[in-house]
Amino acid sequence: QEMKTVKVGTTNLSSDIGLFLAEKRGYFKEEGVKVELIPFDSGAKMVAPLGAGDLDASAGAASAGLYNAVNRGLKLKMVADKGTNIAGYSYKALMVRKDLIESGAFKSLADLKGKKVAIIANGAADESVINQALKKAGLKDEDIEKVFLPFPQHLTAFANKAIDAAISAEPGVTAMVRNNVAVRFTGLDDFYPVQQTAMLLINGKFAEDRKTVTAFLKAYLRGVRAYAATLKDGKIAGPGAEDMIKDIAEMTGIKDMALLHQIVPVFIDPDGQINLPSVETDLAYFKSRGLVTSDIEAAKVVDMSYVDALKPVLGPFARPK
Amino acid sequence: MTVPTTTAELPGGGQASAPKISLRDVTKRHDTQLALDRITLDIPVSTFFVVVGPSGCGKTTLLRMLAGLDAPSEGRIDIANSQPGHPQNSMVFQGDSLFPWMTVWDNAAYGLTMRKVPKARIDEVVGHYLNKTGMYGARTLYPHQLSGGMRQRVSIARAFANDPDILLMDEPFSALDEQNKTLLHEELLRIWEETRKTVVFITHSVDEAVTLGDRIMVMTAGPGRIKTIVPVNLPRPRKVVELRHTPAYGELVYDIWAQLREEVDRARSREPGSKA
Amino acid sequence: MTVPTTTAELPGGGQASAPKISLRDVTKRHDTQLALDRITLDIPVSTFFVVVGPSGCGKTTLLRMLAGLDAPSEGRIDIANSQPGHPQNSMVFQGDSLFPWMTVWDNAAYGLTMRKVPKARIDEVVGHYLNKTGMYGARTLYPHQLSGGMRQRVSIARAFANDPDILLMDEPFSALDEQNKTLLHEELLRIWEETRKTVVFITHSVDEAVTLGDRIMVMTAGPGRIKTIVPVNLPRPRKVVELRHTPAYGELVYDIWAQLREEVDRARSREPGSKA
Amino acid sequence: MSAGQTRSLWSDRTISVLSPLVLLGLWEICARTGIVDVRFFPAPSNIIGHLFELASSGALWRHVGASLYRLAAGFVVGCVPAIVIGLAIGLYRPVRAAFDPLISATYPIPKSSLLPLILLIFGLGESSKIAMVAIGVFYPVVINTAAGVRQIAPIFLDVGRNFGASRFNMFRTVALPGALPLIMTGIKLGAGMGLVLIAIAEMVGAKQGLGYMIWNAWELFDVQTMYVGLFVIAIIGFVMNAGFDALERAIVPWRKG
Amino acid sequence: MSAGQTRSLWSDRTISVLSPLVLLGLWEICARTGIVDVRFFPAPSNIIGHLFELASSGALWRHVGASLYRLAAGFVVGCVPAIVIGLAIGLYRPVRAAFDPLISATYPIPKSSLLPLILLIFGLGESSKIAMVAIGVFYPVVINTAAGVRQIAPIFLDVGRNFGASRFNMFRTVALPGALPLIMTGIKLGAGMGLVLIAIAEMVGAKQGLGYMIWNAWELFDVQTMYVGLFVIAIIGFVMNAGFDALERAIVPWRKG
Ligand SMILES: Nc1ncnc2c1ncn2[C@@H]1O[C@H](COP(=O)(O)OP(=O)(O)OP(=O)(O)O)[C@@H](O)[C@H]1O
Ligand SMILES: Nc1ncnc2c1ncn2[C@@H]1O[C@H](COP(=O)(O)OP(=O)(O)OP(=O)(O)O)[C@@H](O)[C@H]1O
Ligand SMILES: [Mg+2]
Ligand SMILES: [Mg+2]
């Protein structure tokens, strides 16, 4: 049987570990698919090549742009989890500038009022995230000043006192703490219990090739499970942790092993299940802001039939003792 | 004699054959300023035609139109077809016109190279003229390494080497010492007598005009018009040095000199805002 | 007379006063090529010093060193301090040297403007010399709108207007018609006689040299050396036109002409690779 | 030739207007016939329609205004030292020796990578954006100015020296006007570069400006708005260029043609 | 002056080497004394140490090799048409009228925003990166070439015409050599621009290259590695410039000085 080449866009962030392991440990090969991982610097740049079919699949996020792309006729589907913030595994966090904490000026979420808060981009899911935080504190979007900044810029912006708070992600969170510019105030779970951050997307044409997609996802989930097995107590500390950390180091290019031991790892569902309520919460928020103007439904974009079909094949995830 | 003159009226002209160059009411304006005013003129084939006139009267303007580099604002210029194998015209430009990026040799060979003349032939012809102009020894130098007079000589060699049907020369010897000038006068006369090219030659030297020319056109100042065309009936072949001692020569020089003087004086007194 | 000559040996020279310009064993090489070979020379103050020599013999090279634009490769040049209020020297360059980005007026006023002369004075002086050169009417034009001779006249006006201690003129009248040339000869002589500037004047015209000069230096071809320095003992003030009819004038012209001829012939025969 | 020149000027204008129109027309045809994918390359008519919408809502003008202000400020900040340094490099060999290596080494450093450092130095506000534009304008202007001075015929420097031009007058009356046509070319290159960099700078910490608009449109996959942004930048570039051409004709009256 | 010139050339070299060293020395002092924040601006000695580490591990060479290959390919693809079109624009008014508006409108379009579209057209592989470099090289070269032709004294065009130069020879013997000094300036500008854009292009679909290295280092806040990348780009820019200068001296022997 001829091996099909599946082109997958990745950002080489830690949530891409499932793809990386499936490739490195030969799961793709075993499932009969040939995969080419193509790195990108941002999810937004992947949407067009994915929609045009230059990419078959990609790591992505449920941003307003994604819904708009679907709305413009790009046939895209979210087919598997690729990163969720849950209690203990919130690799994204609300960061607050260190001097604000030390001076006592920032004690609770309510102190967000009037602050400059960095968000990765307009229409990103993190907008909905900060909205949840504000809601919890009884505040509104208008009560803060949003500053749209890519993650790598958060550290410099804190150092520069250009921002007061930020929704940031690992490994930046740990880097900021180490550089004494900001404090990890809370994980997202504090105000947004389960937040679906990243998922695996596939192109509509590729989706029709159910056989290959299934094989691809099977290998992917095997990779995810290998990763999930090493998670323990909010750290990569389970069995095989040291090998896993080496793999993550290789994938991300982070050479600082101590940093990798410190960071809060991302959680990825071993069954690839996408948290639909979170996706719907975010979409509703985008619609309320007018960032998504069509009446598109989350269910139209999320397609879990592939991972569902794999459940019996893979069996229940058994966390190793 | 300030009326424009055509060939038919000229003594000693070649009325029988069709003119090589014919101008009819040629007028040239630069922007709005009139440089040449209704020039009507026939130059018969194989004529050594000299143009003199006060500085700024439009001589260069006229020559550029004959070369086809500028178009007249009004009127028409007809030039008879050239002999096969010869370019229609080559010009010795007033002032610096050597390509700074070519050596003396390449500059002198330019026209022949453009016409894809075989290399052996180019070597022969260019060698000959660089020799004649005394520039053979400097053939590998670039123009910025030459003196003003040396540059002018290369420019002359370039035009001679190109062997055109019509030679257009704009003050070609102005930067040369008298001796180099005399040598080149002789060479020019030799070429002319051998090949009977049509030559249009601009000069400020009345001596030069009379020594070389068949006809001398004196132009008026201001907007250039034809003041007069003087035929030179000195015998040929001419020996440049001996010629100067004949009385006919002296008379001609004086005549033209006087005509020119009149023009310059007129131009100076007409000068707008003159304080003189 | 091929031995370099110093002031002391010169008849009619100003041995008493210190020389205005003094050269001692001045040698100039361009790259490796020798252009001037051990020139030793004194030019007394208020001398009208003319330099003639075959094309490429190093006249311009010499003048540029006097102007301080190039340094000698060997030897030394001393120039006496200038009178207060006057620039040391101004040069009429060979070839185009007008700033294309300035009008005729601004070009002519350049030296005075640089010296921050009051505007009223500039207007007066520049107006005067543009008038004298016949360029007043064209004062608002840019150089590209001028003919070759017109550009040369502006360049002359620029140097005259600057009223320098030493006037350095490199073939200043080469592109002018005889009449304009005569007018400017007269103006130059008038300036010189009024102000007794030191003038160093390069020309190819032996007539011009004898008409204007106190002393005429004839240079050798090849690496330039002093061939001879001929004193011109014609009475002053000179009337340009009348002068030419005196027998002393004719003799001088013939003498210098012969010296030059010798040099050119020597240069031509020495030409490397000459095919002549 | 006056009549002829007018005619040829007129026909030049026609060509200048036609050539972009022809290209847009081709694109329109390709889009309508489905040769290009309108999801990614919408038809120009479509883009222009959207442009009018955005313009009438006023949103576009805010973005344009913000970008133009930054562009103008950065242009001045970058251009003036570039001309002064460029003239000095062209005139004086030691200056050239000192600055040439610095310029050739810092010029190719990717400005996008420098953005974080610029943010660190200049903060998130206007000054970082103005600094980015200034950097973009600086290099082409300084390099072209120096090249412009070096191609001035040496005789003009000789004339300046001979007629006693002071150092300052050497700059003002010789180097500057002699290099002016090339300085103008450098300025055109620099202004275009400034537009490119403003778009990068406005991707970070800005809420208005064309760069923000384009980047935001990409994030939201609002392809039409993105094209409107690109289109408006193209128009600004075109108008700027025409403006500089007109300026050049005005301040370089000595140039032929 | 031969001896004098050698001496002044020699002292020029000294200045050229000293000026960047002085700057680096100042930076070093600032870093050591804590005037600048070493978290963001590590001392040069530190960066160079890290450079040697990366170089000896071989990782650096891979990145440099990948970038240089793309740079070279893009340079050729962008430069050759730029020179041809630039010469035509400079020589022929209708060509100028047709191309000028297109160039002035497309030049300022931010290349970073175009990247997604370039990916659609050229795919995700090497060709999209080469295309980005080519675009970067194209504009400065075409604009400077056209300006270079237009500053050729009209008399040389007259000579070409008068001596029967064909259209092709007009390009080859007049426009090209006459504009060469400015074409070289355009090439230097273009090569630098190519380096800037390769860094942007390598952020997508690349696993190696200096752009990838720098961007990746920022993502991870690996400041030292980022500076090594910037430093290496600066060195490449410097060496390229010196190479072009040497080339220029070789192919422009008629130039004074
Ligand atoms: N490009 C131009 N634009 C405007 N006026 C010009 C231009 N070229 C020449 N002229 C004017 O045309 C007139 C004639 O110029 P032309 O060069 O033909 O004179 P000329 O007879 O050759 O003079 P010369 O003996 O000094 O070379 C002059 O008055 C000059 O000012
Ligand atoms: N920059 C240079 N590089 C090399 N050689 C040069 C340079 N300038 C002049 N020369 C050479 O020096 C010699 C003298 O040149 P110069 O210009 O002084 O001659 P000239 O006497 O003024 O001649 P002309 O009467 O033709 O103007 C010439 O042989 C010339 O080739
Ligand atoms: Mg003329
Ligand atoms: Mg000379």
Side-chain angles (χ1 to χ4, degrees):
Chain A
Q1 190 193 338
E2 192 194 331
M3 287 218 284
K4 184 187 182 319
T5 302
V6 182
K7 289 190 174 172
V8 185
T10 78
T11 45
N12 280 344
L13 295 174
S14 52
S15 66
D16 286 333
I17 188 68
L19 290 167
F20 181 79
L21 290 176
E23 168 78 2
K24 185 164 186 221
R25 300 192 177 174
Y27 305 150
F28 284 133
K29 211 184 225 163
E30 286 168 30
E31 303 302 336
V33 284
K34 197 164 166 251
V35 169
E36 192 187 332
L37 298 179
I38 299 168
F40 275 77
D41 68 328
S42 78
K45 287 209 182 91
M46 280 189 260
V47 175
L50 183 65
D54 288 341
L55 289 174
D56 297 302
S58 80
S63 66
L66 192 73
Y67 296 109
N68 289 333
V70 172
N71 210 38
R72 273 190 77 87
L74 271 63
K75 296 206 172 48
L76 307 172
K77 285 188 160 140
M78 305 180 187
V79 292
D81 181 24
K82 197 187 76 68
T84 311
N85 291 289
I86 59 171
Y89 292 94
S90 185
Y91 79 112
K92 280 193 182 174
L94 173 64
M95 305 298 293
V96 177
R97 209 170 70 222
K98 192 154 191 218
D99 59 310
L100 294 178
I101 298 285
E102 283 171 348
S103 70
F106 198 104
K107 291 197 206 64
S108 70
L109 287 181
D111 292 325
L112 280 171
K113 192 173 166 62
K115 296 288 186 294
K116 283 188 184 159
V117 184
I119 304 293
I120 181 170
N122 193 20
D126 287 0
E127 277 218 88
S128 168
V129 168
I130 193 72
N131 179 254
Q132 293 295 320
L134 294 170
K135 263 191 185 163
K136 189 175 176 201
L139 298 173
K140 289 200 172 58
D141 268 4
E142 299 78 56
D143 289 326
I144 59 166
E145 189 187 327
K146 286 182 194 169
V147 179
F148 298 122
L149 272 189
F151 286 138
Q153 254 74 275
H154 290 191
L155 200 161
T156 42
F158 273 124
N160 215 11
K161 295 196 170 33
I163 54 173
D164 304 314
I167 300 292
S168 307
E170 291 288 10
V173 169
T174 304
M176 283 183 243
V177 173
R178 282 180 158 196
N179 280 286
N180 280 322
V181 294
V183 170
R184 189 178 192 273
F185 189 72
T186 60
L188 302 195
D189 54 291
D190 184 48
F191 46 85
Y192 195 159
V194 178
Q195 197 265 332
Q196 181 69 48
T197 292
M199 53 277 283
L200 210 54
L201 302 171
I202 62 172
N203 167 275
K205 185 130 179 298
F206 181 49
E208 285 163 20
D209 184 0
R210 287 198 81 90
K211 205 166 144 244
T212 311
V213 175
T214 309
F216 167 70
L217 284 178
K218 186 177 169 200
Y220 168 69
L221 286 179
R222 285 176 65 190
V224 169
R225 285 176 177 216
Y227 166 73
T230 65
L231 297 181
K232 191 171 168 240
D233 304 331
K235 286 276 177 295
I236 302 176
E242 288 312 310
D243 285 344
M244 186 56 57
I245 282 180
K246 279 195 196 108
D247 283 335
I248 294 175
E250 185 186 339
M251 175 181 75
T252 58
I254 300 177
K255 281 162 215 83
D256 185 347
M257 294 298 166
L259 178 83
L260 286 174
H261 280 100
Q262 273 174 19
I263 62 171
V264 177
V266 61
F267 176 76
I268 309 171
D269 186 71
D271 290 325
Q273 292 293 316
I274 291 170
N275 186 294
L276 202 55
S278 167
V279 172
E280 277 167 346
T281 306
D282 295 350
L283 178 56
Y285 173 75
F286 294 146
K287 284 182 181 169
S288 75
R289 282 269 324 275
L291 294 169
V292 173
T293 47
S294 62
D295 51 4
I296 191 165
E297 300 277 331
K300 255 189 71 185
V301 186
V302 177
D303 183 350
M304 281 192 290
S305 65
Y306 300 92
V307 286
D308 286 346
L310 281 168
K311 260 186 188 163
V313 181
L314 288 168
F317 176 63
R319 187 173 292 277
K321 299 278 142 34
Chain B
M1 273 272 262
T2 51
V3 183
T5 331
T6 59
T7 320
E9 303 169 42
L10 279 172
Q15 298 93 324
S17 65
K20 184 75 187 167
I21 301 172
S22 128
L23 287 80
R24 288 291 168 274
D25 280 324
V26 169
T27 294
K28 177 74 185 176
R29 271 181 291 275
H30 294 294
D31 308 320
T32 55
Q33 198 206 335
L34 194 61
L36 285 176
D37 189 17
R38 279 171 291 126
I39 305 282
T40 293
L41 173 70
D42 283 326
I43 301 177
V45 73
S46 299
T47 305
F48 200 120
F49 193 84
V50 180
V51 181
V52 296
S55 168
C57 73
K59 303 180 293 298
T60 299
T61 304
L62 178 68
L63 211 66
R64 285 179 58 86
M65 289 192 297
L66 296 184
L69 294 172
D70 287 328
S73 307
E74 282 160 38
R76 53 178 294 163
I77 298 176
D78 290 302
I79 297 181
N81 283 341
S82 57
Q83 294 166 259
H86 292 264
Q88 194 206 53
N89 71 76
S90 298
M91 183 138 161
V92 179
F93 289 83
Q94 186 178 16
D96 273 352
S97 70
L98 298 184
F99 294 126
W101 47 86
M102 289 184 189
T103 59
V104 164
W105 179 276
D106 290 341
N107 264 296
Y110 189 69
L112 298 176
T113 316
M114 290 301 101
R115 279 161 49 211
K116 302 204 175 49
V117 171
K119 173 141 189 341
R121 176 89 189 126
I122 294 183
D123 285 355
E124 185 190 332
V125 175
V126 173
H128 174 79
Y129 286 109
L130 284 183
N131 228 355
K132 283 289 171 200
T133 51
M135 291 303 298
Y136 190 81
R139 65 192 174 283
T140 58
L141 298 183
Y142 285 95
H144 80 264
Q145 299 173 301
L146 305 181
S147 76
M150 291 161 90
R151 283 198 283 267
Q152 203 173 42
R153 286 185 272 159
V154 178
S155 167
I156 293 164
R158 174 172 68 184
F160 282 2
N162 203 30
D163 193 13
D165 218 30
I166 303 172
L167 249 179
L168 303 173
M169 305 181 82
D170 197 350
E171 306 186 26
F173 305 134
S174 63
L176 295 184
D177 53 287
E178 312 253 357
Q179 285 65 38
N180 267 304
K181 204 183 288 193
T182 307
L183 288 169
L184 288 174
H185 282 166
E186 280 163 2
E187 179 64 17
L188 178 55
L189 284 178
R190 191 193 59 75
I191 293 174
W192 183 79
E193 265 147 27
E194 272 174 22
T195 62
R196 307 300 289 188
K197 288 181 197 310
T198 309
V199 179
V200 183
F201 189 102
I202 296 176
T203 183
H204 283 306
S205 160
V206 180
D207 279 322
E208 194 170 75
V210 176
T211 306
L212 299 173
D214 283 328
R215 297 183 189 179
I216 299 171
M217 174 167 100
V218 181
M219 292 180 69
T220 64
R225 294 196 198 87
I226 299 176
K227 186 180 169 75
T228 173
I229 296 182
V230 182
V232 182
N233 290 321
L234 297 172
R236 298 216 185 241
R238 298 182 188 159
K239 282 273 167 213
V240 174
V241 186
E242 282 91 73
L243 196 66
R244 308 216 166 165
H245 300 289
T246 62
Y249 177 90
E251 265 167 48
L252 266 168
V253 169
Y254 184 80
D255 179 28
I256 291 164
W257 202 86
Q259 301 248 19
L260 269 171
R261 164 119 239 175
E262 208 179 296
E263 274 316 305
V264 177
D265 289 350
R266 219 161 52 81
R268 284 299 183 93
S269 64
R270 228 182 28 195
E271 174 102 315
S274 169
K275 296 183 183 179
Chain C
M1 274 270 262
T2 50
V3 182
T5 332
T6 58
T7 321
E9 305 169 38
L10 278 173
Q15 296 94 325
S17 65
K20 184 75 187 166
I21 301 172
S22 128
L23 286 79
R24 288 291 170 272
D25 280 324
V26 169
T27 294
K28 177 73 185 177
R29 271 181 292 274
H30 293 294
D31 308 319
T32 56
Q33 199 206 334
L34 193 61
L36 285 176
D37 189 18
R38 279 171 293 127
I39 305 281
T40 293
L41 173 70
D42 283 326
I43 302 178
V45 74
S46 301
T47 306
F48 200 120
F49 193 84
V50 180
V51 181
V52 297
S55 167
C57 72
K59 303 180 292 298
T60 299
T61 304
L62 178 68
L63 210 66
R64 285 178 58 86
M65 289 192 298
L66 296 184
L69 293 172
D70 287 329
S73 307
E74 282 160 38
R76 54 178 293 164
I77 298 177
D78 290 302
I79 297 181
N81 283 342
S82 57
Q83 296 166 258
H86 292 265
Q88 193 206 54
N89 71 77
S90 298
M91 183 140 162
V92 179
F93 289 84
Q94 185 177 17
D96 274 352
S97 69
L98 298 184
F99 294 126
W101 47 85
M102 289 184 190
T103 59
V104 163
W105 180 275
D106 289 341
N107 264 296
Y110 188 69
L112 298 177
T113 317
M114 290 303 99
R115 279 162 49 212
K116 301 203 176 48
V117 171
K119 176 145 188 335
R121 175 88 189 127
I122 295 183
D123 285 355
E124 184 191 332
V125 175
V126 173
H128 173 79
Y129 286 109
L130 284 182
N131 228 356
K132 283 290 172 201
T133 52
M135 291 302 298
Y136 190 81
R139 66 192 174 283
T140 59
L141 298 183
Y142 285 95
H144 80 264
Q145 298 172 303
L146 304 181
S147 76
M150 291 161 91
R151 284 198 283 266
Q152 204 173 39
R153 285 184 273 159
V154 179
S155 166
I156 293 164
R158 174 172 68 185
F160 282 2
N162 203 30
D163 193 15
D165 217 31
I166 304 172
L167 248 178
L168 303 172
M169 306 182 80
D170 197 349
E171 306 185 26
F173 304 135
S174 63
L176 294 184
D177 54 285
E178 313 252 358
Q179 287 64 38
N180 266 304
K181 203 182 290 191
T182 308
L183 289 170
L184 288 173
H185 283 166
E186 280 164 1
E187 179 64 16
L188 178 55
L189 285 177
R190 190 194 59 74
I191 293 174
W192 184 79
E193 266 148 27
E194 272 174 21
T195 63
R196 306 301 289 191
K197 289 181 194 309
T198 309
V199 179
V200 183
F201 189 101
I202 295 176
T203 182
H204 283 304
S205 161
V206 179
D207 279 320
E208 194 171 75
V210 176
T211 307
L212 300 173
D214 281 329
R215 297 182 189 178
I216 300 172
M217 173 166 100
V218 183
M219 291 180 70
T220 64
R225 295 197 196 86
I226 300 176
K227 186 180 170 76
T228 174
I229 296 182
V230 181
V232 181
N233 290 321
L234 297 173
R236 301 213 182 242
R238 297 181 188 159
K239 283 273 166 214
V240 175
V241 184
E242 282 91 73
L243 196 67
R244 309 217 165 165
H245 300 289
T246 62
Y249 176 91
E251 264 167 49
L252 265 168
V253 169
Y254 182 80
D255 179 28
I256 291 166
W257 201 86
Q259 302 248 19
L260 268 171
R261 163 118 239 177
E262 208 179 296
E263 274 316 305
V264 177
D265 289 348
R266 218 162 52 81
R268 284 300 184 94
S269 64
R270 228 183 29 194
E271 174 101 316
S274 168
K275 297 182 181 180
Chain D
M1 276 260 282
S2 174
Q5 250 169 356
T6 315
R7 198 172 54 232
S8 81
L9 255 181
W10 189 85
S11 76
D12 278 4
R13 290 261 160 78
T14 320
I15 298 177
S16 294
V17 172
L18 276 182
S19 77
L21 287 185
V22 166
L23 230 76
L24 288 177
L26 274 178
W27 179 1
E28 182 82 33
I29 292 170
C30 289
R32 300 234 171 169
T33 56
I35 295 174
V36 302
D37 188 338
V38 288
R39 292 175 307 175
F40 303 108
F41 304 96
S45 58
N46 199 315
I47 297 168
I48 289 166
H50 195 58
L51 183 135
F52 281 115
E53 270 171 46
L54 288 178
S56 61
S57 83
L60 184 61
W61 302 119
R62 246 188 23 221
H63 292 305
V64 170
S67 290
L68 283 184
Y69 161 73
R70 290 163 186 155
L71 197 64
F75 182 82
V76 173
V77 174
C79 198
V80 173
I83 291 178
V84 174
I85 295 174
L87 291 177
I89 291 176
L91 280 179
Y92 305 115
R93 280 181 56 165
V95 181
R96 180 161 191 242
F99 275 91
D100 239 19
L102 296 181
I103 288 175
S104 62
T106 55
Y107 168 55
I109 291 177
K111 284 26 168 210
S112 46
S113 315
L114 284 186
L115 191 55
L117 299 176
I118 288 175
L119 292 181
L120 204 64
I121 301 170
F122 294 98
L124 273 182
E126 290 301 291
S127 40
S128 63
K129 284 147 199 93
I130 292 171
M132 279 290 270
V133 174
I135 290 173
V137 172
F138 179 81
Y139 286 98
V141 176
V142 77
I143 292 173
N144 258 29
T145 301
V149 174
R150 288 183 15 95
Q151 56 80 49
I152 295 176
I155 183 116
F156 297 128
L157 302 176
D158 289 342
V159 172
R161 281 204 280 158
N162 190 243
F163 284 89
S166 61
R167 197 156 281 217
F168 172 71
N169 274 325
M170 215 62 182
F171 270 70
R172 193 179 60 85
T173 65
V174 184
L176 184 65
L180 205 47
L182 282 164
I183 295 177
M184 287 307 298
T185 305
I187 285 179
K188 285 187 223 167
L189 274 167
M193 202 61 233
L195 266 175
V196 170
L197 287 187
I198 191 73
I200 293 180
E202 285 175 348
M203 294 198 325
V204 171
K207 286 209 196 63
Q208 48 197 26
L210 289 165
Y212 169 77
M213 176 175 155
I214 293 170
W215 169 69
N216 191 46
W218 263 122
E219 291 280 340
L220 297 176
F221 206 75
D222 181 358
V223 177
Q224 280 180 327
T225 301
M226 186 210 68
Y227 274 100
V228 169
L230 294 180
F231 206 75
V232 171
I233 286 192
I235 292 171
I236 293 176
F238 179 80
V239 170
M240 262 180 2
N241 206 64
F244 286 127
D245 275 343
L247 181 67
E248 181 170 357
R249 273 193 299 275
I251 61 178
V252 190
W254 61 85
R255 229 192 174 182
K256 278 200 198 180
Chain E
M1 278 262 281
S2 175
Q5 251 170 356
T6 316
R7 198 173 53 233
S8 82
L9 256 180
W10 188 84
S11 77
D12 279 4
R13 290 262 160 77
T14 320
I15 298 176
S16 294
V17 172
L18 277 182
S19 77
L21 287 185
V22 166
L23 231 76
L24 288 177
L26 274 178
W27 179 1
E28 181 82 33
I29 291 169
C30 289
R32 300 234 169 167
T33 56
I35 296 174
V36 302
D37 187 339
V38 288
R39 288 176 309 178
F40 300 104
F41 303 97
S45 56
N46 200 315
I47 297 169
I48 289 166
H50 195 57
L51 183 134
F52 281 115
E53 269 170 46
L54 289 177
S56 60
S57 82
L60 184 61
W61 301 118
R62 250 188 19 225
H63 291 305
V64 170
S67 290
L68 283 184
Y69 161 73
R70 290 165 187 149
L71 197 64
F75 182 81
V76 173
V77 173
C79 197
V80 173
I83 292 178
V84 173
I85 295 174
L87 291 177
I89 291 176
L91 279 179
Y92 305 115
R93 281 182 55 166
V95 180
R96 178 160 193 243
F99 274 90
D100 239 19
L102 295 181
I103 289 174
S104 62
T106 55
Y107 168 55
I109 292 177
K111 280 50 172 188
S112 47
S113 316
L114 284 186
L115 190 55
L117 299 174
I118 287 175
L119 294 179
L120 286 184
I121 299 170
F122 292 99
L124 301 171
E126 289 300 292
S127 39
S128 60
K129 287 154 199 83
I130 293 171
M132 280 289 270
V133 174
I135 291 173
V137 172
F138 180 81
Y139 286 98
V141 176
V142 78
I143 292 174
N144 257 28
T145 302
V149 174
R150 289 188 8 99
Q151 57 80 47
I152 295 175
I155 184 117
F156 297 129
L157 303 176
D158 289 342
V159 171
R161 282 204 280 159
N162 190 245
F163 284 89
S166 62
R167 197 156 282 217
F168 171 70
N169 274 324
M170 215 62 182
F171 271 70
R172 191 178 63 85
T173 65
V174 184
L176 184 65
L180 205 48
L182 282 164
I183 295 177
M184 287 307 299
T185 306
I187 284 178
K188 285 186 223 167
L189 275 168
M193 203 61 233
L195 266 174
V196 170
L197 287 187
I198 192 71
I200 294 179
E202 283 175 349
M203 290 192 202
V204 168
K207 284 195 201 77
Q208 46 199 27
L210 289 165
Y212 169 78
M213 175 175 154
I214 293 170
W215 163 71
N216 194 46
W218 252 118
E219 289 270 310
L220 306 172
F221 202 70
D222 180 358
V223 177
Q224 281 181 326
T225 303
M226 188 204 71
Y227 274 100
V228 169
L230 294 180
F231 206 74
V232 170
I233 287 192
I235 292 171
I236 293 176
F238 178 80
V239 170
M240 263 182 358
N241 205 64
F244 286 128
D245 275 343
L247 181 69
E248 182 171 356
R249 273 192 299 275
I251 62 177
V252 190
W254 61 86
R255 230 192 175 184
K256 277 199 197 178

